[in-house]
Amino acid sequence: MGERSPPPAGRRTRLVSSLVLGQRACEVALDPERGALEWTEQPQPRGGRESCAVPISEIIAVEETEIDKKQCNSGKWQKMAKPHAFTASRPKHLLVYINPYGGKKQGEKIYEQKVAPLFSLASISTDVIVTERANHARDNLLEVNLEKYDGVVCVGGDGMFNEVMHGLIGRTQKDSGIDQNNPKAPLVQCNIRIGIIPAGSTDCVCYSTVGINDPVTSALHIIVGDTQPLDVSSVHHHDTLLKYFVSLLGYGFYGDILKDSEGKRWMGPVRYDLSGFKTFLSHHYYEGTISLLPASHAVGSPRDKKHCRSGCHICKQSKQRLEIEQKKNGGEIKGDDEGEWKVIRGKFLAINIANISCACPRSPKGLAPAAHLADGSSDLILVRKCSRFNFLRYLIRHTNRDDQKLARGESWPDFHCGMKLTFPSKNQAAKGVTGHTWPCTAAFDFSFVEVYRIKKFQFTSKHLEDGDCDAKKMQKNRFGHFCRDHPACCCIPPSSTWNCDGETLDCSTIEVTVHCQLMKLFARGIERNSTLEAVQRQLC
Ligand SMILES: CCCCCCCCCCCCC/C=C/[C@@H](O)[C@H](COP(=O)(O)O)NC(=O)CCCCCCCCCCCCCCC
Ligand SMILES: Nc1ncnc2c1ncn2[C@@H]1O[C@H](COP(=O)(O)OP(=O)(O)O)[C@@H](O)[C@H]1O
Ligand SMILES: [Ca+2]
């Protein structure tokens, strides 16, 4: 570095130099206008030169090599004094919790092999705690001195993330004198960021906020200090806080899968498939009453085709709204009870509340593809009693992967309804073919599925409304032939359990409130795949 080309009038100096990358000579430029480091290969004899650029804010470390090998330590790269000081928002000290039993039990290995070397390269110091029991991380966070850390990292799945989040939310409310058991209490935002290194069974929070469950990608988001605000919902039973959740609160299908899978943890992530198959066959439905308060402030609907992406303007609007409200109320965020409650009674196979899309490798678009990470609302999905065949059609639509790249002339089979999506070849395009019909793959396009964007929710199971279990009915159901609706089982379970970020809740009667942007993650949301989204827009 060092050579200067004269700056054009009104522009800042562009530093240009030559660099040897392996055997190839490159021209390297530091462009202050674009805030990027660019390098271009010197033209090859047979033509063609490749150009690359990296934003300065995303450079992890700068290292120097000595030209005179005698002077250097066996030719090793030398670290500069402050290689991490590229932007102010980068963490320098992190507190790391590893669940050694999450997912395929690879948490410690993933951290040691893939993450720790990157943290060290970026000069991040860490205190690492390998958990010894469930709730170890949560309890530790309630008393540890957090002031010395710039963030907390959890290595594990959604359950582990949920635990760390409880520790931080609990700590923040305790320090501010807020009673978490009061469902109407204005909660105080947590300013310390959480980074998730995926090493669990579903990794839905990581996948939905980063776009992939890859430990290295997550580590890089932590290192460069990305910030992604996140909605959190609280679940109360009368005046007792049961839990907070970020991904899914599910009753019926997902509650039953979780309950069944609890004893199969030794199997690892496959436990969910096995319990899923079993739960699918049992085909239980549950009766109850739902009350919901629509998210009148929310822009958009659960059926939108425009999904929450990096820099989402809907989430930005929510942030502005929140800041105005905080200024008005002296820093507090008051619960918003405005609007008219809607009451729905019925028999449901599944009641799902998704705070975020709930995208994960099993369902790349998620249960609620249009849900936003930080808009202060959740998407409520009600799947009413229907045939097994229809429920299977609904489930299969979640496996849709239409966010993958498609090359010209390539198609991918849509086994859901027997149609194929094809990106037109150049010849076809020249003849005006824009692509085959976009298949009808929305999981919500069924008469037995309803969706709502909500800010509050209540549920009471029918058997509790009726004054609990009718003894005669329960006795009758001991004999399979009395069980008309469930020929394959010997009793109708009166109620299911709630699956709350992968943990079961003991109460079925609950009250849910969405807390806009209560947490912050080291992430930046899912980045746009411009090529693909352009194709989709063309075809739709
Ligand atoms: C026929 C195939 C149908 C596949 C349907 C896939 C839908 C997947 C939706 C997943 C939503 C996940 C929401 C996130 C929940 C997590 O927070 C939570 C905790 O995660 P952690 O273990 O990492 O701590 N994970 C879970 O609750 C697990 C959800 C289990 C989803 C597996 C569902 C498999 C269903 C298989 C049905 C088989 C039907 C076969 C019929 C012939
Ligand atoms: N050392 C430990 N022993 C047992 N359970 C633990 C330990 N550390 C964390 N847990 C609990 O394990 C549960 C599941 O962890 P998670 O990392 O989400 O794995 P998975 O994705 O496989 O469910 C969480 O609820 C967490 O509280
Ligand atoms: Ca949301």
Side-chain angles (χ1 to χ4, degrees):
M1 284 286 159
E3 221 177 277
R4 280 161 200 260
S5 44
R11 296 191 72 189
R12 281 179 283 166
T13 313
R14 184 179 151 95
L15 294 171
V16 183
S17 183
S18 295
L19 186 82
V20 177
L21 263 180
Q23 299 291 309
R24 294 166 298 143
C26 286
E27 184 186 279
V28 181
L30 194 56
D31 185 340
E33 295 290 327
R34 284 178 66 198
L37 182 80
E38 306 160 350
W39 61 98
T40 311
E41 270 186 41
Q42 303 290 355
Q44 301 292 312
R46 269 177 259 137
R49 53 194 260 158
E50 238 177 63
S51 215
C52 298
V54 62
I56 294 161
S57 61
E58 292 182 8
I59 295 174
I60 289 175
V62 175
E63 296 175 321
E64 258 185 330
T65 181
E66 300 290 333
I67 294 165
D68 181 359
K69 285 199 174 161
K70 278 179 206 157
Q71 287 174 24
C72 73
N73 307 333
S74 62
K76 275 194 175 169
W77 291 82
Q78 302 293 302
K79 278 192 184 171
M80 280 173 67
K82 281 190 176 173
H84 55 268
F86 291 96
T87 57
S89 56
R90 292 194 178 191
K92 293 175 188 63
H93 309 289
L94 292 171
L95 177 56
V96 181
Y97 294 102
I98 304 176
N99 175 3
Y101 302 115
K104 294 180 184 157
K105 303 186 177 62
Q106 300 292 302
E108 279 178 281
K109 195 171 148 198
I110 289 172
Y111 182 77
E112 291 307 330
Q113 294 185 354
K114 299 191 170 175
V115 180
L118 288 173
F119 283 175
S120 142
L121 190 68
S123 298
I124 292 175
S125 68
T126 51
D127 285 336
V128 179
I129 297 176
V130 178
T131 59
E132 287 162 10
R133 57 177 173 85
N135 292 327
H136 181 169
R138 186 199 64 184
D139 297 346
N140 188 255
L141 277 164
L142 291 173
E143 56 194 33
V144 76
N145 175 15
L146 283 173
E147 275 175 17
K148 49 179 189 162
Y149 300 109
D150 304 311
V152 178
V153 172
C154 73
V155 184
D158 294 335
M160 187 61 187
F161 167 77
N162 185 284
E163 195 187 302
V164 167
M165 174 181 86
H166 271 85
L168 284 180
I169 298 178
R171 175 68 180 269
T172 310
Q173 309 319 311
K174 193 174 111 189
D175 291 351
S176 313
I178 301 280
D179 175 13
Q180 298 181 84
N181 286 323
N182 174 3
K184 291 195 161 53
L187 298 183
V188 175
Q189 282 177 304
C190 300
N191 285 320
I192 188 156
R193 287 169 289 178
I194 306 182
I196 309 171
I197 302 295
S201 300
T202 314
D203 297 324
C204 162
V205 183
C206 176
Y207 198 101
S208 306
T209 54
V210 174
I212 189 168
N213 56 336
D214 172 50
V216 171
T217 306
S218 290
L220 295 175
H221 283 297
I222 296 170
I223 291 168
V224 300
D226 281 330
T227 300
Q228 172 64 55
L230 195 61
D231 293 338
V232 178
S233 292
S234 56
V235 188
H236 284 83
H237 175 73
H238 303 310
D239 278 340
T240 304
L241 171 73
L242 298 179
K243 268 217 180 279
Y244 295 105
F245 73 94
V246 162
S247 59
L248 172 72
L249 180 70
Y251 190 80
F253 187 64
Y254 288 104
D256 293 351
I257 290 183
L258 188 73
K259 189 102 194 162
D260 188 77
S261 71
E262 268 178 346
K264 302 184 175 75
R265 182 162 279 281
W266 58 271
M267 287 184 178
V270 178
R271 70 189 187 277
Y272 289 138
D273 299 301
L274 195 71
S275 297
F277 184 65
K278 217 175 128 182
T279 307
F280 171 79
L281 289 182
S282 68
H283 200 62
H284 287 149
Y285 66 83
Y286 301 94
E287 262 186 285
T289 303
I290 287 162
S291 306
L292 64 97
L293 192 55
S296 43
H297 68 276
V299 185
S301 94
R303 290 168 180 269
D304 280 345
K305 295 283 177 274
K306 278 186 198 147
H307 300 163
C308 185
R309 292 291 178 265
S310 259
C312 170
H313 72 276
I314 290 180
C315 295
K316 275 188 187 155
Q317 275 179 28
S318 290
K319 189 170 186 221
Q320 285 165 357
R321 201 173 38 84
L322 213 60
E323 282 166 357
I324 294 170
E325 203 186 313
Q326 271 173 319
K327 266 191 201 151
K328 234 176 31 195
N329 301 321
E332 276 187 1
I333 304 166
K334 293 243 164 75
D336 170 12
D337 270 341
E338 272 170 37
E340 218 170 283
W341 285 84
K342 182 178 170 70
V343 179
I344 301 168
R345 287 190 184 83
K347 297 172 177 172
F348 305 100
L349 285 171
I351 299 171
N352 296 328
I353 303 179
N355 242 352
I356 59 179
S357 69
C358 290
C360 59
R362 283 187 177 86
S363 174
K365 287 200 306 176
L367 292 183
H372 286 266
L373 295 175
D375 68 338
S377 77
S378 290
D379 287 356
L380 168 67
I381 305 155
L382 303 178
V383 186
R384 291 189 187 256
K385 184 185 163 197
C386 63
S387 68
R388 274 193 184 82
F389 176 66
N390 273 338
F391 190 53
L392 183 62
R393 283 171 69 209
Y394 165 76
L395 285 180
I396 285 176
R397 285 190 185 181
H398 290 306
T399 61
N400 184 346
R401 289 187 164 265
D402 62 15
D403 58 346
Q404 285 190 339
K405 271 192 187 166
L406 220 67
R408 274 206 183 276
E410 211 179 61
S411 58
W412 81 89
D414 170 40
F415 53 90
H416 320 125
C417 49
M419 288 164 72
K420 273 187 175 179
L421 171 71
T422 310
F423 186 23
S425 66
K426 272 190 179 160
N427 277 348
Q428 286 173 316
K431 286 180 200 157
V433 177
T434 54
H436 291 219
T437 325
W438 184 251
C440 164
T441 52
F444 302 150
D445 289 347
F446 287 111
S447 59
F448 53 90
V449 179
E450 286 160 46
V451 278
Y452 302 90
R453 190 151 280 182
I454 58 160
K455 57 186 174 193
K456 282 180 188 250
F457 166 94
Q458 289 171 356
F459 177 76
T460 314
S461 155
K462 169 96 169 28
H463 83 284
L464 290 175
E465 283 176 334
D466 292 351
D468 224 324
C469 319
D470 180 322
K472 271 188 197 160
K473 194 164 141 194
M474 293 297 281
Q475 243 180 356
K476 264 189 185 178
N477 288 334
R478 294 231 179 95
F479 307 96
H481 56 276
F482 283 107
C483 186
R484 271 181 296 133
D485 292 312
H486 303 96
C489 74
C490 59
C491 67
I492 305 170
S495 57
S496 173
T497 42
W498 288 97
N499 172 341
C500 179
D501 272 358
E503 305 290 308
T504 49
L505 297 183
D506 295 330
C507 287
S508 55
T509 303
I510 55 158
E511 189 178 326
V512 175
T513 305
V514 187
H515 301 273
C516 187
Q517 308 196 358
L518 191 63
M519 290 291 325
K520 286 190 187 79
L521 294 185
F522 284 112
R524 61 170 74 155
I526 298 178
E527 290 179 284
R528 254 177 214 92
N529 180 345
S530 48
T531 324
L532 173 82
E533 289 188 359
V535 174
Q536 286 182 351
R537 272 196 297 276
Q538 197 189 353
L539 295 178
C540 278

